[in-house]
Amino acid sequence: KVADAMYELYMYPPEESKLYEEFESLQTVLDIDMRFSEGRCAKVLPIASRTYQDNASSHYTSIVHENKPGRSPSLPLFCLINQEKSAGKMSQSINDVFNLPFGGDTEEVIGDDQSICVVGLFGKSDGQEKSKGLLLNQLLKSPVFKAQHVGQVPVTAEEAEESHLFWKDQEFDYARALIFMFTVCHIVVLSHPKTTFDTSYVHLFRALETTRMSYLQKNCQGLAQMGNLPEERQRDGNSISNVALLRYVPLGYCHSWRYIRIYVYIRISQGDLAKKLNAVQRIQQNIEDQIFRILRKSRVLTNNLNHCLFSVPANQAFVHIVSGSEPEKTPMDILTGSFRDNFSPEYSEESLLEPGIPVNPNIPVMVDSLPSLSPTKNTNSFKTFLQQHIDIILNGRGFEDSLVRGTAPAHFEFPTLNEWIKVADAMYELYMYPPEESKLYEEFESLQTVLDIDMRFSEGRCAKVLPIASRTYQDNASSHYTSIVHENKFAQALKVYAQHARGPAYELFARKLEQECDAFWENGRQLCEVISLTGHHCILKLHLLPEEENTPEQQPPLPQMPHTNNNRTPCACNCGKTIGHRDDPFDLKVANYDFFQDLEEKCCNKFHHIAFPVYIPRRLSESSPVPEKTLSSEGMTEEVEAAADLKEEQDGQIKSGEKTKTIPDTQGDQPFFSPPLSLGQSGNDGVMTSHDSQARSMVTMDILSGSESIIPTSKGSSVSRQLSAVGYLQGMTCSASHPGLLPKYSSWSLVCHGKGNLYSHSKGLDQPNFLRDMNFLLPWDIPIPKGSKMDLNWPELEKTSGRRGGRNRERKTQRDSFRAYIGLEYECPRGHRFIYSGADKIPKAPGGAGGPKEGGNKLVTSDMPLHVPCTCSIHLKGTFLIPNRNTKPPLGQLIRAFIVTPEAPLYIQLNPKVRPGAHPCPVFYPECGEEGVILAKNSFWVLRFPYVYVTEAEPIYPPTDNQPVLGAKLFKGMFLVTVNPPKT
Amino acid sequence: RPVAIEVPVHKRLSVPAEMTQSVKLVDESGSWCENGLEMLLDLNDYLVVGALGMQGSGKSTLMSFLAGNDCGDERSSLIFKPESKDTILKASHETYGIDLFVTKERILLLDTQPVLSSSVLDDLLSHEKNLPPEYTSAENYADMQSLQLAAFLMTVCHVVLVVIDWLPDLSLMEFLKRAEMLKPPTPSPPTSQAQDVESSRDKEDYSPNVAFVLNKASPSDFHPSVVKEVEKSITSVFKNSKLKFQGCSSLARANIMPSLTPASLPLDVNLFLIPHFHEKEMDITTIYNNGQSILYSLLPQKVKCHPRTETLVRSFRNQIYGASRSPLTHTSLTEKNWFHYAARTWETMRKSSLMSDFNRLLT
């Protein structure tokens, strides 16, 4: 009970209670440290503050405060400039930091004429905040790289190279600064955060010495310009000999963890200071020996001091290890340790030498009078160590470091600060910004090369690999090849290159390789890669078309020839009776017009044609037509007489394409040559064509009910059409082309073989190249509308058909319909032709003799594909109707439609609309307007589709992988029935 | 007359006696030693880990912990021999050549002599007469030795640990990139068919995981901003390198410190921090013997900003053991094959044209 109560009382005393106050005073009594410390600090504060204010010059830089982060390898070039103590007046001492190049007036700042000792410091630093000690950090902040390096940027090739160059530039700047320092300092201190000697300094020192020796001459000239310098100095530019002091900074006072070796040792020898010093000295001794051996053997130190970059003292220690602090053993140690960490800048005189980042390209110089030289007990401090060496200088003696007796001692200068600043300023200018033409500049360039051994290696290596890779490309190169082959070959060459090329010059030489390969290819091995309208490229060397001119800069001039790719395919003519062979077309006119026109000479010329309207160039003499008149003359219907009658006009060998041109000539009294730019207008022109003499074979193109809409359109837009500079279409009529324009030739053709009885359904089409049993048209029974006018006519009709004999016996019994035969013919690149009913996925021959019994309806009522796999490969394989799964059969393309019109008052109207690609692809149609063409009765018609489809912008290529495009089709509605007869 | 004894098949796969000490793979003169072969099996599932680092950075100590030593173990009982006090005083180094140790998890650990070391150079200088004729000076030979060592590890190891004890050492980073540059190409498998040669040509050269270990890290090093900065630097130095410096082992992946997570360290650089090993917990009896109050022992020994060393070491070990084992060559190697492959690589390394080209540039 008591304990419980007492516990409560003592542990949680109420705040107002007497006990609480007692406890508080107890706390104060116990914390003797704090009381002492507070008193002490309060006393010291004004003193410290006064110290700061006393020596303050009227204005000073903020360098000291920026000196927190260090770099590695950094450029902390502090020159500690010491005034001789003998002046004895502390009040006159100068505490100042300034930067080189020195901007101010030297007379004003430094009034003293006493000689000084200049100490330089360089090396790797490991600042208090290590992360900020990274040179990389500066790299990150550097404006050059800001954009690329901040954040996660993808690595580009250029960057790789640049970053190497950037590094090397930094290193080079560093080297130049070192040369400067080795020139203007008495003592140079190398600081290193670890108790090992960095062997890479050996290379650096040697490279520096080589450079220094070779520019000595230049150095003198530069100094001679200074004017007011002592003669002696002018004579010997390299006046100040140097001692390199290697100072190892374990930074023990803050981070004892770093000094594992020392740390471990100290723990062992705890409490025995002498022993500890011994150990440090032993390490110092050993490292000193090691370094001396290395420098001596690697000929950084030689017998002739004047040929050395620096010397080391022969009889004095030149390695100093800043030993670690006492290990932290108790919580109080931790506290004091953390206090030390926080306030370390004021901790010791060492902070004077805290390396800092110079604001490039300035080199901060710190001028200091060492405050007190009273010998401290601690003989191991860096200050004591350094002071020994400084004293030698200040006492006006030179170093006697010669390794061999009898050699001339090194010459020494003991400048005043004033002099020194002048010289250092000039040197700084000289080394940091050497004039471009000078010898020194060249020396520096060669120094840069020497230092960048990686780049030299890499360049050598890559240059060796380049021809090998290049040869890989050139080996087995055919005389000319496509850009795809070129790319592949280049990729292969690059692979060979990548296998052997190394280092930072990789990208540079990879670009060279690319240039070489490109040059090789472009120098006469380039293939003309113009793509034909069917999607195959030309296989000739790079050439021009016959009508193209060589440009003057093209050397050597390119040959002139038409494109070809040896891709000859069989193709039937307009009517289908004659087979020709066509080259893969590169030109639309050749593809869709010229080829068929050539065959026409041999075959179809004798047949009756219906020509589609085309553009006819306006004649100058008839430049003032009367459009109103022509428009009103015929109104709705337009006739285009195209060809002569089969029987009566065998001699009328006029090509259909020229027909419309020639006819007006023969009937010159008709003023119809008004601008035939529009469909309506051209129709007006064609109205009069010889309808009087050829009534029987008259073929008309009827625009049935749409004429009303067409005429206003033509009226409204006729002005703009006439104004348009290009009066015709380059490509084909399609939904994307200009609605009023016509092409110069038609890509379609419509031919009449003659009477309908030319086709025998039991035999099928009698035309070459048809696949076996696939030449049958499909019967299409056109029902007679009940109750129509035609219903009354049917007995008469039956009589008519009965006269025809037994060909269509079934038709006799079928009194409510008329029979037509229709078929869509596909032609594959191998020349195979077949009629496709759309019933099966793969076309197959109808079973049974006498041709198919039905199937025509499908053509009428549904869309038909533009491309259908040809069965030819199946036939060739011998496995009938079992497609080979590995090789897809070639595609047959819809090329012809056969129509056998019935003998009836019903007429078949053709209105083909083809979309050759998937949506959104323009729809193509012949130049017969929206309504199509009405065919004369009882005759055998062939509509030939275009071979290629080309819009104004680009060709629409057939599928390349023998896989039909789903959207490419002939729209339903091609076969229509009308009661209107063709206009005669 | 010696009789060939047929080893039964089942014995071939049986694990040989567990190793307690490392064996030499390469001796101090640079010759290959064959006795390591006895420790190896005909198995495919193994991992090779090599350590690279400057003099005194703690390679051997770290490798010992990877090999299975505990943080409390005496220095003398470590598997890989760490520096002795005498070595430290002499500013010398302890490990010569390459040491091999195989754990029972079939992890092959390679501990190496320091690279870029003044002590190694000093040794070479004292025997300058014995230098191979192709090297013009001892320091060139020392440089080339370091490069060969690094390139060798980069060829035959799955993971190369780069042990550093202060950041940043720019010359070490440069050195690593140089070694990568001089790394010999991965040999293509010997096949008669041209097609296979073709396909092997498509394959990239092997490049190992490179994991940085900041050894003897101070508490302040564990601060997220510090770790982040270091990761950034490593990323920008090795940006164009093929070495896989990401995605293997890092404090963020270990997920043992709430401030260091994959979210706060998106770079995912292989950087692990190991604090000083030898900060032994103070023995209470020592304090007592010193005449101090026993209560002191209840106070924290040291302000730490990181998990216990044991935790970190264990987590690091797990990550390294679980490193990706991408095939070293285009054909898969068993442990024994690996040994022969490594021996061959070591030989080619010394005759490599890349190396001799580079050596010629050193003046």
Side-chain angles (χ1 to χ4, degrees):
Chain A
K1 273 183 192 169
V2 174
D4 213 23
M6 284 299 168
Y7 180 82
E8 190 67 29
L9 186 66
Y10 290 142
M11 285 302 158
Y12 310 102
E15 287 209 7
E16 306 80 29
S17 69
K18 184 108 196 314
L19 185 64
Y20 191 79
E21 287 169 25
E22 288 297 339
F23 274 171
E24 275 192 336
S25 74
L26 172 67
Q27 204 168 8
T28 323
V29 169
L30 285 177
D31 196 355
I32 229 171
D33 291 345
M34 189 48 115
R35 276 189 296 150
F36 170 77
S37 173
E38 273 176 358
R40 181 78 194 168
C41 293
K43 209 190 277 172
V44 168
L45 180 65
I47 301 172
S49 176
R50 218 176 308 128
T51 315
Y52 178 81
Q53 288 162 13
D54 274 355
N55 295 331
S57 44
S58 60
H59 47 271
Y60 44 91
T61 63
S62 57
I63 298 292
V64 179
H65 301 288
E66 292 170 3
N67 275 353
K68 267 175 248 160
R71 299 193 310 165
S72 143
S74 58
L75 287 176
L77 301 181
F78 274 75
C79 291
L80 181 68
I81 295 156
N82 184 33
Q83 282 189 303
E84 206 175 357
K85 179 66 182 138
S86 61
K89 297 173 204 157
M90 289 297 284
S91 57
Q92 281 185 4
S93 65
I94 304 161
N95 263 316
D96 206 352
V97 173
F98 57 87
N99 280 325
L100 285 178
F102 188 72
D105 188 356
T106 48
E107 301 297 330
E108 228 171 67
V109 179
I110 304 116
D112 232 342
D113 272 351
Q114 283 136 357
S115 54
I116 56 167
C117 169
V118 187
V119 178
L121 170 66
F122 75 102
K124 303 188 178 187
S125 72
D126 191 5
Q128 305 239 326
E129 292 182 80
K130 288 186 305 303
S131 65
K132 289 198 179 143
L134 298 170
L135 172 62
L136 295 171
N137 223 17
Q138 215 212 342
L139 185 121
L140 287 170
K141 284 172 191 158
S142 150
V144 185
F145 276 97
K146 190 158 194 164
Q148 289 98 319
H149 279 265
V150 171
Q152 302 298 313
V153 253
V155 181
T156 65
E158 281 77 13
E159 211 185 322
E161 213 170 286
E162 265 177 40
S163 73
H164 180 82
L165 290 181
F166 179 81
W167 281 100
K168 289 301 163 185
D169 273 357
Q170 291 278 318
E171 201 177 302
F172 176 57
D173 281 348
Y174 179 53
R176 282 192 306 176
L178 278 185
I179 290 187
F180 165 74
M181 208 163 67
F182 275 110
T183 312
V184 299
C185 292
H186 289 116
I187 295 171
V188 176
V189 179
L190 165 63
S191 128
H192 200 274
K194 292 275 296 174
T195 56
T196 53
F197 178 66
D198 189 339
T199 49
S200 64
Y201 281 123
V202 174
H203 286 292
L204 182 62
F205 286 152
R206 265 215 306 259
L208 291 181
E209 171 60 16
T210 317
T211 311
R212 197 189 63 124
M213 284 308 285
S214 52
Y215 72 67
L216 267 182
Q217 201 57 36
K218 175 71 204 167
N219 197 352
C220 293
Q221 289 166 9
L223 282 173
Q225 291 158 6
M226 295 290 301
N228 57 350
L229 284 173
E231 272 302 305
E232 209 175 358
R233 183 183 285 271
Q234 288 184 19
R235 201 189 61 240
D236 183 6
N238 182 34
S239 55
I240 306 175
S241 184
N242 316 291
V243 168
L245 294 168
L246 298 140
R247 167 183 173 252
Y248 288 109
V249 190
L251 291 179
Y253 41 86
C254 296
H255 300 283
S256 58
W257 58 270
R258 268 178 204 296
Y259 307 102
I260 163 160
R261 299 141 187 225
I262 299 162
Y263 184 84
V264 169
Y265 177 75
I266 288 167
R267 281 184 66 95
I268 297 163
S269 65
Q270 202 173 345
D272 193 342
L273 192 68
K275 241 187 171 179
K276 171 192 155 192
L277 273 179
N278 261 347
V280 173
Q281 276 162 6
R282 257 185 75 191
I283 300 177
Q284 275 178 7
Q285 192 75 43
N286 282 325
I287 292 180
E288 231 167 61
D289 291 349
Q290 206 177 62
I291 290 170
F292 186 78
R293 278 198 298 270
I294 289 173
L295 293 180
R296 184 95 176 98
K297 284 272 173 71
S298 59
R299 288 166 191 82
V300 174
L301 296 174
T302 57
N303 288 341
N304 189 345
L305 272 191
N306 285 328
H307 291 157
C308 295
L309 192 62
F310 56 84
S311 66
V312 293
N315 303 320
Q316 282 170 297
F318 65 92
V319 173
H320 175 78
I321 294 178
V322 177
S323 43
S325 66
E326 289 285 310
E328 295 152 1
K329 292 190 298 289
T330 62
M332 200 50 88
D333 274 326
I334 297 162
L335 284 178
T336 51
S338 72
F339 272 53
R340 271 205 309 258
D341 280 353
N342 290 336
F343 303 114
S344 54
E346 351 174 318
Y347 174 60
S348 73
E349 76 273 15
E350 238 83 56
S351 62
L352 279 180
L353 295 171
E354 204 59 49
I357 283 191
V359 185
N360 227 354
N362 296 336
I363 296 179
V365 177
M366 177 177 282
V367 185
D368 182 32
S369 62
L370 291 180
S372 136
L373 284 183
S374 58
T376 50
K377 292 272 196 247
N378 185 1
T379 52
N380 201 26
S381 83
F382 176 65
K383 203 175 86 183
T384 328
F385 168 70
L386 193 57
Q387 193 64 49
Q388 297 169 5
H389 300 280
I390 291 173
D391 281 344
I392 298 174
I393 306 286
L394 294 181
N395 293 339
R397 288 180 283 134
F399 297 132
E400 290 164 3
D401 296 336
S402 187
L403 300 164
V404 178
R405 297 233 171 254
T407 48
H411 177 76
F412 255 89
E413 271 295 329
F414 307 102
T416 64
L417 179 58
N418 205 333
E419 284 171 346
W420 182 83
I421 284 177
K422 277 183 193 163
V423 174
D425 231 14
M427 290 286 173
Y428 180 81
E429 191 66 31
L430 186 67
Y431 290 148
M432 287 304 172
Y433 309 103
E436 288 212 2
E437 308 79 35
S438 68
K439 182 115 193 314
L440 184 65
Y441 192 79
E442 288 166 24
E443 289 297 335
F444 275 164
E445 278 190 335
S446 76
L447 172 68
Q448 200 167 13
T449 324
V450 169
L451 287 177
D452 197 353
I453 196 166
D454 286 344
M455 190 52 119
R456 274 191 295 150
F457 170 78
S458 177
E459 274 174 359
R461 182 83 196 166
C462 293
K464 211 191 278 177
V465 173
L466 183 62
I468 300 172
S470 188
R471 216 173 310 129
T472 313
Y473 177 86
Q474 292 172 12
D475 277 357
N476 303 327
S478 46
S479 61
H480 45 272
Y481 43 87
T482 65
S483 61
I484 296 167
V485 175
H486 166 69
E487 290 297 325
N488 286 342
K489 283 173 89 65
F490 172 66
Q492 216 170 6
L494 198 61
K495 218 175 276 168
V496 171
Y497 173 78
Q499 219 170 15
H500 300 290
R502 302 293 166 105
Y506 182 94
E507 290 299 332
L508 183 73
F509 281 82
R511 277 201 297 278
K512 274 191 188 170
L513 177 66
E514 190 175 359
Q515 282 162 9
E516 269 185 27
C517 291
D518 282 352
F520 182 76
W521 180 54
E522 278 161 13
N523 186 19
R525 286 173 190 268
Q526 216 169 338
L527 195 70
C528 169
E529 287 182 72
V530 174
I531 308 240
S532 78
L533 295 173
T534 56
H536 303 95
H537 63 77
C538 172
I539 55 162
L540 294 175
K541 274 188 183 182
L542 191 63
H543 64 96
L544 294 175
L545 289 174
E547 60 268 25
E548 284 175 331
E549 287 288 318
N550 265 307
T551 51
E553 56 263 25
Q554 179 67 46
Q555 285 301 335
L558 295 171
Q560 292 181 328
M561 57 183 108
H563 299 294
T564 181
N565 58 10
N566 288 348
N567 200 3
R568 278 173 82 87
T569 50
C571 187
C573 69
N574 277 336
C575 67
K577 288 208 164 197
T578 313
I579 305 294
H581 285 272
R582 67 155 79 228
D583 288 323
D584 200 11
F586 287 85
D587 181 74
L588 176 64
K589 186 157 177 279
V590 172
N592 282 348
Y593 182 77
D594 287 354
F595 170 77
F596 295 107
Q597 229 31 64
D598 289 349
L599 283 178
E600 189 124 305
E601 304 251 1
K602 298 179 201 160
C603 169
C604 338
N605 225 342
K606 53 185 185 275
F607 294 129
H608 175 81
H609 289 70
I610 294 182
F612 297 109
V614 293
Y615 167 77
I616 298 160
R618 192 191 316 176
R619 273 196 201 157
L620 288 173
S621 59
E622 297 178 2
S623 55
S624 58
V626 190
E628 284 78 16
K629 186 188 164 194
T630 54
L631 278 171
S632 60
S633 63
E634 292 291 332
M636 354 236 76
T637 59
E638 298 145 32
E639 302 169 346
V640 182
E641 169 53 53
D645 178 72
L646 172 64
K647 290 169 184 170
E648 294 179 351
E649 300 210 2
Q650 300 245 345
D651 301 334
Q653 308 254 336
I654 307 160
K655 290 182 184 174
S656 66
E658 291 162 4
K659 188 72 178 176
T660 44
K661 276 191 219 164
T662 53
I663 286 168
D665 289 337
T666 62
Q667 303 175 346
D669 57 329
Q670 304 246 12
F672 54 79
F673 244 26
S674 60
L677 293 174
S678 72
L679 185 59
Q681 285 166 333
S682 71
N684 287 339
D685 298 336
V687 162
M688 317 74 182
T689 52
S690 62
H691 64 283
D692 48 352
S693 60
Q694 298 148 0
R696 255 200 298 155
S697 61
M698 186 58 67
V699 176
T700 61
M701 186 174 114
D702 189 7
I703 297 182
L704 281 172
S705 54
S707 50
E708 288 88 357
S709 67
I710 282 184
I711 290 168
T713 321
S714 64
K715 264 183 186 169
S717 55
S718 63
V719 177
S720 68
R721 280 172 200 160
Q722 286 174 14
L723 286 178
S724 81
V726 181
Y728 54 88
L729 283 176
Q730 296 284 357
M732 301 160 63
T733 45
C734 63
S735 61
S737 66
H738 196 289
L741 297 185
L742 288 172
K744 271 181 154 177
Y745 48 88
S746 181
S747 297
W748 306 65
S749 134
L750 184 54
V751 179
C752 178
H753 267 285
K755 290 294 182 193
N757 57 12
L758 283 174
Y759 173 72
S760 152
H761 194 56
S762 54
K763 290 178 189 163
L765 286 171
D766 182 23
Q767 291 194 349
N769 273 7
F770 266 98
L771 292 173
R772 198 161 55 108
D773 291 339
M774 297 186 77
N775 55 343
F776 292 100
L777 300 185
L778 305 167
W780 175 29
D781 292 322
I782 307 164
I784 299 167
K786 290 281 179 218
S788 75
K789 197 178 158 192
M790 265 172 290
D791 243 357
L792 302 172
N793 289 343
W794 70 265
E796 194 185 339
L797 238 168
E798 190 190 22
K799 205 169 123 198
T800 319
S801 63
R803 273 208 311 268
R804 285 181 187 280
R807 182 162 62 85
N808 293 327
R809 266 167 305 175
E810 65 272 27
R811 201 162 156 191
K812 279 184 186 172
T813 60
Q814 203 173 7
R815 297 179 174 190
D816 53 350
S817 67
F818 300 105
R819 171 155 286 194
Y821 292 97
I822 53 179
L824 294 178
E825 181 214 319
Y826 292 77
E827 202 168 15
C828 89
R830 296 179 187 169
H832 300 118
R833 303 166 66 188
F834 57 92
I835 303 284
Y836 175 53
S837 68
D840 308 289
K841 268 202 163 174
I842 291 169
K844 58 182 172 189
K853 301 288 180 292
E854 52 192 14
N857 271 331
K858 178 136 174 106
L859 299 190
V860 178
T861 56
S862 58
D863 295 340
M864 291 296 286
L866 186 62
H867 298 101
V868 174
C870 179
T871 56
C872 56
S873 64
I874 301 167
H875 284 287
L876 290 173
K877 292 271 173 197
T879 50
F880 192 64
L881 284 186
I882 299 170
N884 188 332
R885 289 182 196 280
N886 295 327
T887 53
K888 283 190 174 157
L891 292 181
Q893 183 182 328
L894 174 63
I895 191 73
R896 265 169 225 93
F898 294 94
I899 309 102
V900 178
T901 52
E903 173 77 50
L906 285 175
Y907 295 90
I908 291 179
Q909 186 179 357
L910 286 185
N911 189 15
K913 290 192 189 316
V914 174
R915 190 174 67 188
H919 186 79
C921 177
V923 176
F924 289 77
Y925 46 83
E927 297 83 356
C928 56
E930 293 287 315
E931 303 306 321
V933 186
I934 297 177
L935 302 176
K937 62 183 179 181
N938 192 21
S939 39
F940 184 11
W941 292 91
V942 182
L943 173 72
R944 197 257 308 156
F945 287 83
Y947 181 64
V948 293
Y949 295 87
V950 179
T951 67
E952 291 295 281
E954 56 187 353
I956 293 153
Y957 297 115
T960 50
D961 50 352
N962 285 347
Q963 178 69 41
V965 178
L966 279 180
K969 57 190 174 186
L970 170 70
F971 286 104
K972 67 181 169 191
M974 163 154 173
F975 301 103
L976 298 171
V977 180
T978 180
V979 292
N980 297 339
K983 293 290 167 184
T984 53
Chain B
R1 209 176 90 199
V3 180
I5 300 166
E6 194 63 32
V7 182
V9 175
H10 67 275
K11 283 243 173 107
R12 277 188 195 161
L13 291 177
S14 69
V15 181
E18 209 172 296
M19 293 176 77
T20 51
Q21 277 297 317
S22 58
V23 293
K24 276 264 175 274
L25 200 64
V26 173
D27 68 13
E28 51 183 294
S29 64
S31 345
W32 190 260
C33 306
E34 292 289 337
N35 23 342
L37 189 56
E38 297 163 15
M39 306 298 159
L40 299 175
L41 304 176
D42 271 324
L43 292 177
N44 278 321
D45 193 26
Y46 60 95
L47 177 79
V48 190
V49 181
L52 264 188
M54 310 270 258
Q55 189 180 326
S57 56
K59 293 175 296 299
S60 299
T61 319
L62 183 72
M63 287 309 261
S64 300
F65 289 114
L66 276 184
N69 277 118
D70 281 328
C71 294
D73 288 355
E74 286 295 317
R75 287 180 68 79
S76 56
S77 67
L78 292 186
I79 289 167
F80 292 101
K81 204 173 155 208
E83 286 181 314
S84 66
K85 188 181 113 193
D86 199 43
T87 318
I88 296 169
L89 290 182
K90 274 193 198 146
S92 182
H93 63 284
E94 189 70 44
T95 312
Y96 291 85
I98 303 176
D99 290 344
L100 168 72
F101 183 81
V102 186
T103 70
K104 57 180 187 293
E105 294 91 354
R106 310 316 295 169
I107 311 288
L108 279 59
L109 298 167
L110 304 182
D111 184 28
T112 62
Q113 77 178 27
V115 295
L116 305 175
S117 153
S118 56
S119 162
V120 171
L121 174 57
D122 194 29
D123 284 350
L124 289 174
L125 283 169
S126 54
H127 305 101
E128 208 168 4
K129 296 270 187 312
N130 303 336
L131 286 184
E134 64 264 34
Y135 299 103
T136 49
S137 69
E139 73 260 19
N140 288 356
Y141 186 47
D143 281 1
M144 294 310 295
Q145 252 190 355
S146 295
L147 283 172
Q148 285 168 6
L149 196 64
F152 171 73
L153 287 191
M154 284 180 187
T155 310
V156 303
C157 291
H158 294 109
V159 183
V160 175
L161 298 180
V162 178
V163 187
I164 44 184
D165 59 349
W166 65 284
L167 275 172
D169 202 327
L170 200 60
S171 29
L172 185 67
M173 304 279 179
E174 240 184 358
F175 169 78
L176 287 175
K177 289 183 84 173
R178 192 173 292 161
E180 188 205 353
M181 180 168 87
L182 299 176
K183 187 165 75 74
T186 310
S188 47
T191 44
S192 51
Q193 287 168 333
Q195 284 181 341
D196 287 355
V197 174
E198 212 45 51
S199 64
S200 75
R201 197 178 282 170
D202 294 347
K203 285 176 190 163
E204 291 233 322
D205 272 5
Y206 172 76
S207 49
N209 291 306
V210 172
F212 295 88
V213 184
L214 178 54
N215 208 1
K216 310 175 193 176
S218 74
S220 64
D221 289 334
F222 284 86
H223 195 273
S225 68
V226 176
V227 177
K228 209 168 183 169
E229 283 298 312
V230 176
E231 289 203 345
K232 247 194 214 164
S233 328
I234 292 176
T235 315
S236 62
V237 171
F238 288 97
K239 209 168 207 176
N240 312 117
S241 164
K242 291 212 175 74
L243 299 174
K244 298 170 200 146
F245 64 95
Q246 280 163 321
C248 175
S249 78
S250 66
L251 274 182
R253 282 173 170 263
N255 212 5
I256 45 179
M257 288 178 68
S259 58
L260 300 175
T261 59
S264 65
L265 299 170
L267 287 177
D268 194 23
V269 172
N270 295 339
L271 174 72
F272 211 95
L273 283 72
I274 305 266
H276 188 217
F277 282 131
H278 298 292
E279 285 164 8
K280 285 185 199 161
E281 302 299 316
M282 189 162 285
D283 194 3
I284 290 176
T285 51
T286 340
I287 296 168
Y288 192 74
N289 292 343
N290 284 352
Q292 287 170 331
S293 163
I294 192 79
L295 287 177
Y296 271 110
S297 63
L298 300 178
L299 291 169
Q301 177 64 28
K302 204 158 184 346
V303 183
K304 282 184 186 166
C305 307
H306 54 79
R308 286 156 54 86
T309 313
E310 294 81 19
T311 319
L312 285 169
V313 166
R314 202 181 318 121
S315 152
F316 178 65
R317 193 189 296 154
N318 287 342
Q319 284 188 355
I320 294 299
Y321 278 25
S324 68
R325 306 174 180 197
S326 48
L328 299 167
T329 59
H330 300 318
T331 53
S332 76
L333 300 172
T334 65
E335 286 176 19
K336 288 192 173 180
N337 288 343
W338 173 86
F339 188 84
H340 299 305
Y341 173 63
R344 220 165 39 239
T345 308
W346 182 248
E347 281 312 307
T348 50
M349 202 64 70
R350 314 178 84 194
K351 294 171 196 150
S352 142
S353 66
L354 288 165
M355 290 287 176
S356 55
D357 279 359
F358 191 81
N359 178 40
R360 230 167 285 138
L361 287 176
L362 296 169
T363 46

